[in-house]
Structure formats: structure tokens, C-alpha cells
Amino acid sequence: MVAHAKALQKATGIKLLWGTANLFSHPSTCAERHQSRRPGLCVCRGQVKKALDVTKQLGGENYVFWGGREGYETLLNTNLKREQEHLAIFLKMALDYAKSIGFKGQFLIEPKPKEPTKHQYDFDVASGIAFLRTYGLERTSSSTSRPTTRTLAGHTFQHEIEVAASQGMLGSIDANSGTSSWAGTRTSSIPT
């Protein structure tokens, strides 16, 4: 697929804005989360490694971590601090790997409130920025936002963009139609 994508890039002149890994739809990964230490997490880490390799090969400008599993349903079986520390370790491992393969793009965190867990660690742009700063990741990562997920957080798209921009952490805008079709998607990357 990479060779085919490269050929299409060459033929059309279209560049890859960002790459990502789908860590939330396959049965082997949908129950796993980055903050987990369970053995099944190796599948997630392997997918991120492969997606980083492909993003680098296709000249991607950014790598996006789409949320969805970074949170919890109940505190009855959750050690919040430990899980956030594990998520930070995971992100640092991904950054180290990206550096080792020469990927120079920025890492983007896309908050996904209530998709599907009740309490997300990256509920909105502000909580995502707080997480990055808490774990010393703010120099290597920025925020990306899209309209459809902002309404789940009770914010407007404009609010989330302004919060990220005011903190110097607006990395990308994913302004899509919110449908299952990628037709009509418009994205832009903001250099940091």
C-alpha cells in the first residue's frame, strides 16, 4: 500500500498532512488503552510503530493521536494518576521512536470527549494541554481539533481553536463535515 500511495502522491502532487493509527475499532485493540500495562497493549504499540513508519515514508508532516480509549468509566477500578503516567510513557516511547527513524513532524493530540469512555483524559483542548505540560510533552506535541468532537465537550469549535492558539499549541485544524464520508474533508497544519 505504501508504494501505491507514493505513486499516487507523485502523480497528483498531493502530500500527506498527517498519519495516525486506528486503535479503537478492531476487537484486539478496542478494549486496550495507551495508559494500560496489559499484555494486549503490544498490539496497540505495534500499530503506532507501523503507522509512524508509513507516515515517515510518505513524507507526513504530522502524526495524530486520536483519542477514544484514554479515559475511564468509573473510579472504582481506576488509578487515575497511574493511568495518566502510563499514557505519558506511551507518548514518550512514540516520540523516541519517531526521533530514531528521523521523523521530524509534530505530534498532535486530538481530544475526543465521551468517545466512548465517560471521562476522557483529553476531554477538551485545555485538559489535553494540561496533560502535555504535566508530563513535559508540550515542546513536542500540539493540539488538533475538529468541529464534531468539540460539541461533545460542550464547547464551540472556535473556543477550542482559541484555547489552543492562546497557549501556542494549535497544531492543526481538522474541519470536516462530521459524516462517515471523508469527502469534503479540509485540513490544515499550522507550523509551530
Side-chain angles (χ1 to χ4, degrees), residues 8-20:
L8 290 172
Q9 284 181 312
K10 186 175 180 180
T12 63
I14 294 174
K15 296 180 180 179
L16 178 63
L17 177 61
W18 45 259
T20 191

Side-chain angles (χ1 to χ4, degrees), residues 23-164:
L23 301 177
F24 44 82
S25 64
H26 191 274
S28 67
T29 61
C30 70
E32 299 297 334
R33 300 182 310 219
H34 303 309
Q35 73 269 13
S36 170
R37 286 280 190 181
R38 293 177 291 205
L41 186 59
C42 292
V43 174
C44 293
R45 291 178 180 160
Q47 285 186 341
V48 169
K49 178 185 178 295
K50 180 66 172 173
L52 278 166
D53 289 336
V54 170
T55 302
K56 166 83 166 62
Q57 291 171 36
L58 295 177
E61 295 179 25
N62 308 283
Y63 185 84
V64 177
F65 286 96
W66 277 355
R69 301 291 183 235
E70 293 76 28
Y72 61 93
E73 287 296 323
T74 176
L75 287 172
L76 294 175
N77 64 350
T78 302
N79 181 326
L80 192 72
K81 182 171 175 48
R82 184 181 67 204
E83 286 197 357
Q84 288 184 333
E85 287 170 353
H86 289 176
L87 177 57
I89 290 167
F90 171 80
L91 292 174
K92 288 176 183 178
M93 288 170 57
L95 285 163
D96 288 345
Y97 180 72
K99 197 179 296 182
S100 77
I101 63 171
F103 177 69
K104 296 186 183 344
Q106 65 180 334
F107 275 33
L108 302 169
I109 306 297
E110 182 176 329
K112 288 209 179 271
K114 301 176 185 175
E115 272 192 24
T117 55
K118 185 174 182 182
H119 302 283
Q120 293 293 125
Y121 298 138
D122 55 354
F123 179 80
D124 59 8
V125 168
S127 61
I129 290 171
F131 171 82
L132 294 172
R133 287 187 173 150
T134 298
Y135 293 99
L137 294 162
E138 71 276 9
R139 291 194 184 116
T140 57
S141 305
S142 295
S143 185
T144 184
S145 191
R146 66 183 216 181
T148 53
T149 55
R150 301 307 83 230
T151 57
L152 291 172
H155 301 309
T156 65
F157 186 46
Q158 296 84 351
H159 167 83
E160 293 292 86
I161 291 170
E162 182 61 30
V163 169

